Amino acid sequence: MTLELVTIPCRTDNYAYLLHDAASGDTALIDAPEAAPILTALQTRGWTLRQILITHHHGDHIEAVPELVAATGAQVLGAKADAHRLPPLTRALTEGDTVQVGPESAQVIDVSGHTLGHIAFHFPESRYAFTADSLMAGGCGRLFEGTPAQMWHSLSKLAALPPETLICSGHEYTASNLRFATTIEPQNEALLSRIARVTTARAENRATVPSRLSGELATNPFLRANLPHIKALLGLPDAPDAAVFAEIRARKDKF
Ligand code: ZN
Ligand code: FE
């Protein structure tokens, strides 16, 4: 049985996600950008929130935690490394810990880079990975705290998940991420057809997340820094993967 997944647009371009197990009624939220749309999503379905899973400390991912805890009494789980800058945690998590939602256990993966202490949650049975601002649809988060080598290592862990995994990321940045991707790989057919699909989705005001990992591997330049033809396109044929990733990230920062 797959956990039910609800994608909730918040603020201007954030996403929160609800996970629900119909048999037990168990419900979890991943990230808390804004209380009102999340409470509405819960109320319209008659769901009771039991846990809030936090990916990282940025305000646009945690701001609504106090209001949601006050409204629902939910437990709060987040990275031990971030505990000093997160709302009070019921449970502090490190890589390899598991989190239970209904019958399913999720693995906590350290994906530091955007921030130090950023974690992702992988639900192997339902095939979801909640990646927030680490691996994003068509891109990756800016390196505010970590090094390029750290982010490359983090992305490599996510890239190794089963390709059918749905990547549930934190923002609607896909269109501009893919525009940037064409500056690296203008001839990538999978990228060009993805841009067409994303353009249609945005014109209809539909979310472009979650996205399938297989599609990210085919089109997201930040997952492709290890490929010889990408290194050649960048004029770095002999550079280590992390150095190629660093070059792509530096170009995106100036894009
Ligand atoms: Zn962030
Ligand atoms: Fe964010």
Side-chain angles (χ1 to χ4, degrees), residues 14 56 60-61 133 171:
N14 278 83
H56 69 294
D60 62 313
H61 297 255
D133 298 356
H171 289 270

Side-chain angles (χ1 to χ4, degrees), residues 196-217:
R197 289 193 304 278
V198 162
T199 303
T200 303
R202 293 312 295 152
E204 295 169 359
N205 202 28
R206 284 187 283 114
T208 62
V209 300
S211 59
R212 194 79 63 185
L213 178 58
S214 54
E216 297 302 333
L217 291 166

